[in-house]
Amino acid sequence: MQIALVGIGKIALDQHVPAITDSPDWELAATVSRQGSVGGVPAFTDFDRMLAERPDIRVVSLCLPPVPRFDYAARAIRAGRHVMLEKPPGATLSECHALADMARAQRVSLYATWHSRQADKVPGAKAWLKDKNLRRVTITWKEDVRQWHPGQDWVFEAGGLGVFDPGINALSILTEILPDPIHLCAAELHFPENRETPIAANCRFYHPQGAEVTLDLDWLEPGSPTWSIEVVAEEGHMLMENGGGKLTIDGAPDKCVPGLSGEYPRLYSQMADLVKTGTVDIDLAPMRHVADAFTLGKRVTVAPFEW
């Protein structure tokens, strides 16, 4: 199937382009970007022009920041195209619900992707947790924004999510592996005095078994990042590290090898299946927790942030 990639930045070049190129399901038929391009692929700078001139391209993958994503997705759906959304799927929950309604009305597929759910050890963690009595769940997601988003001011602008941009990856894994639903009950968000989104956050969640569930986010972590989920249960101990790339159960490493290698190859394989069946897949659980944090969280002003 032919696909157009919209927004040719670092994530598109590092992850999306290789996944599409190596996939037996896809052909990268066009790109849309004001600046970036992919060698040998027809490049457009105007999205509407691409839609008009390439009716043969039935699928669009959007790698734009959250705020402009709704407008592009809505135009693609109205043009009868299937749409794949980078995380988070929109700037607000309302936008995402609206896109899902549009897609169903137009009978096209819509896929809200959560790439961290496709990490190698997520299935193993989910399988182990399904019948456990939980006592404590500790999520620690710390990294250096200067390394992962160098000079990208949009992450600190309204709608950019701030530290919840990586934090939503942790929440996407958490909502996939926990057998019981949770909801946020308290949060503290640290906003640099010169920025519109938080640079650190601490969150606490209600768990139906009474387990202590906490999330610690920091975007000023020096050195190597920490992306871990630790679970203490009556039956044992689980530690997931490297954003889902490493899993140990009671100190023993999980040795299961997934059938398809890589988060983004798995996403594009799933998108191919959705297009073939005309299915809408838009799970908003990770984004709901972020929205709750912004609604309920105590705002604390901290030192200004400069690149």
Side-chain angles (χ1 to χ4, degrees):
M1 292 177 282
Q2 292 188 324
I3 189 169
L5 193 57
V6 182
I8 307 302
K10 179 175 173 55
I11 190 68
L13 295 174
D14 290 351
Q15 301 292 346
H16 289 261
V17 172
I20 293 169
T21 301
D22 295 339
S23 171
D25 298 307
W26 300 103
E27 174 193 347
L28 184 55
T31 63
V32 182
S33 179
R34 288 178 294 181
Q35 297 176 331
S37 62
V38 176
V41 178
F44 293 81
T45 57
D46 184 88
F47 185 55
D48 290 324
R49 180 183 172 190
M50 188 280 294
L51 292 174
E53 294 186 4
R54 296 298 305 270
D56 55 314
I57 299 176
R58 306 305 304 164
V59 185
V60 173
S61 180
L62 297 179
C63 304
L64 302 162
V67 171
R69 200 170 294 160
F70 173 81
D71 181 54
Y72 279 77
R75 281 187 277 167
I77 291 170
R78 284 195 293 265
R81 314 303 168 90
H82 307 282
V83 176
M84 183 173 176
L85 301 167
E86 247 292 357
K87 66 89 187 173
T92 70
L93 289 167
S94 294
E95 288 183 353
C96 297
H97 287 298
L99 289 177
D101 291 341
M102 290 181 198
R104 294 186 179 102
Q106 291 289 333
R107 297 184 179 180
V108 296
S109 296
L110 178 68
Y111 185 21
T113 69
W114 301 104
H115 68 81
S116 291
R117 284 184 175 177
Q118 307 302 321
D120 288 352
K121 301 304 180 180
V122 169
K126 183 176 182 178
W128 187 79
L129 287 167
K130 68 179 181 180
D131 57 356
K132 299 299 183 293
N133 295 296
L134 306 187
R135 291 295 171 258
R136 179 168 56 85
V137 181
T138 305
I139 309 102
T140 306
W141 231 254
K142 299 182 177 183
E143 62 185 54
D144 185 354
V145 65
R146 294 181 175 92
Q147 176 184 353
W148 297 96
H149 287 282
Q152 297 180 27
D153 281 317
W154 66 265
V155 298
F156 284 114
E157 296 171 355
L161 296 190
V163 75
F164 283 99
D165 178 80
I168 207 168
N169 294 335
L171 290 168
S172 71
I173 295 176
L174 189 69
T175 51
E176 175 69 15
I177 65 177
L178 288 185
D180 298 309
I182 61 173
H183 65 262
L184 186 128
C185 55
E188 183 174 283
L189 312 182
H190 294 184
F191 285 76
E193 65 179 29
N194 61 336
R195 302 289 176 169
E196 298 171 348
T197 59
I199 201 162
N202 303 106
C203 301
R204 183 164 53 86
F205 298 86
Y206 168 84
H207 186 274
Q209 293 182 13
E212 178 187 353
V213 182
T214 58
L215 170 67
D216 185 11
L217 304 176
D218 191 346
W219 232 354
L220 292 175
E221 180 72 8
S224 300
T226 299
W227 301 316
S228 68
I229 298 177
E230 181 184 17
V231 178
V232 176
E234 288 183 3
E235 299 84 355
H237 176 270
M238 185 200 90
L239 178 61
M240 176 183 286
E241 300 173 279
N242 300 343
K246 179 182 178 182
L247 179 66
T248 54
I249 305 293
D250 294 327
D254 177 78
K255 297 181 179 180
C256 293
V257 178
L260 186 63
S261 178
E263 296 176 1
Y264 282 83
R266 294 181 190 120
L267 291 177
Y268 275 96
S269 177
Q270 291 180 7
M271 182 62 184
D273 292 339
L274 292 177
V275 170
K276 292 170 186 174
T277 59
T279 305
V280 171
D281 184 342
I282 185 163
D283 177 17
L284 299 177
M287 197 168 172
R288 174 171 52 82
H289 291 310
V290 175
D292 287 351
F294 277 95
T295 302
L296 188 60
K298 176 183 177 181
R299 179 179 178 132
V300 177
T301 302
V302 297
F305 173 81
E306 304 293 348
W307 295 107

